[in-house]
Amino acid sequence: MPNSPLILSGKEVSLAVKAELKGRIEALAGKGIKPGLTAVLVGEDPASQVYVRSKERQSAKLGFNSNVLRLDASTSQDELLKIVEGLNKDPEVHGILVQLPLPRHIDDQLIIETIDPEKDVDGFHPVSVGKLVLGLDGFVSCTPAGILEIMKHYNIETEGKHVVVVGRSNIVGKPMANLMIQKRDLANATVTLVHTRTPDMGVHTRQADILIAAAGVPEFIGDDMVKDGAVVIDVGINRVDDATREKGYRLTGDVNYEAVLGKVSAITPVPGGVGPMTIAMLLSNTVKSAENSIK
Ligand code: NAD
């Protein structure tokens, strides 16, 4: 049984990704191009505001043309569609990000499908998802793409391994499973995807060489659900009440970190694991889009 597992620091990997992007951004600058990322935020959801501010700050720091359109919660679907269509036509905008969830009177899927797939840096458009499934080059949803970068950075072998993904959301679980089944490096895995309708989930998770937890349930994966020596990627970011903290809460993953630590060979912490990778990959996708614009 491994005693001290490798701690997979997404924070460290995200810095490496951003350092690599700097060179590409300079090359683009030499051609008179500045990567342009526009985020659209409708309403005042506090978590979305924090997330969008962080994207804005980090993209501006890298020298992007970074914009946030902050729209009133009462913005109509038609108004939002027109705004997205305008961004599609703007040559200075290489990436469009519409922060989800949108207010209930707006159809998320309709808005996603209106974004030009060439500017779909979130990788949510059906064209991007289709390319991912077919193994074609395209924009990959940022969180799964970030997990792949972590595995690459730490030389985690995936070929022939059994990867078990917990959760089937469109932004994490499904794209993650699809990435891992591809016939290429950093994939070639045997994949099982479990979800709320899976009876006795532990039967599957205990077989995982690589366990990727993306359910959004605080610390529900304990040592009884993990195989000795497994690699554990914890995507969950959950707020749990904690009176000992100044804010009254702490962030925790889907995995009971302390409980599995003595059993696993490698694990991502929360925070500082998968979290920092999501924005790094958004920036990476935007640089890729800017490069594509001159091909
Ligand atoms: P989601 O709620 O859209 O999907 C969760 C999925 O997990 C669903 O498919 C559901 O069937 C499954 N699930 C829920 N409870 C389960 C259970 N008890 N057993 C098995 N399956 C279960 O969530 P999401 O957007 O995929 O996010 C998942 C988690 O990852 C959340 O905690 C979210 O905050 C976090 N997240 C983190 C990042 C990041 O940057 N690290 C990015 C996206 C999401």
Side-chain angles (χ1 to χ4, degrees), residues 17 21 24 64 279-289:
V17 167
L21 289 179
R24 289 164 60 189
F64 279 35
I279 295 184
M281 299 320 289
L282 174 75
L283 302 174
S284 173
N285 279 348
T286 307
V287 170
K288 176 174 165 172
S289 175

Side-chain angles (χ1 to χ4, degrees), residues 80-96:
L80 184 57
L81 285 172
K82 287 206 178 71
I83 286 168
V84 171
E85 282 159 5
L87 294 171
N88 284 345
K89 290 192 198 114
D90 186 340
E92 292 194 356
V93 175
H94 303 105
I96 303 169

Side-chain angles (χ1 to χ4, degrees), residues 41-46 48-49 69-75 101-103:
L41 179 62
V42 187
E44 315 231 314
D45 178 63
S48 295
Q49 285 187 348
L69 303 180
R70 291 185 167 80
L71 308 176
D72 196 84
S74 64
T75 305
L102 290 165

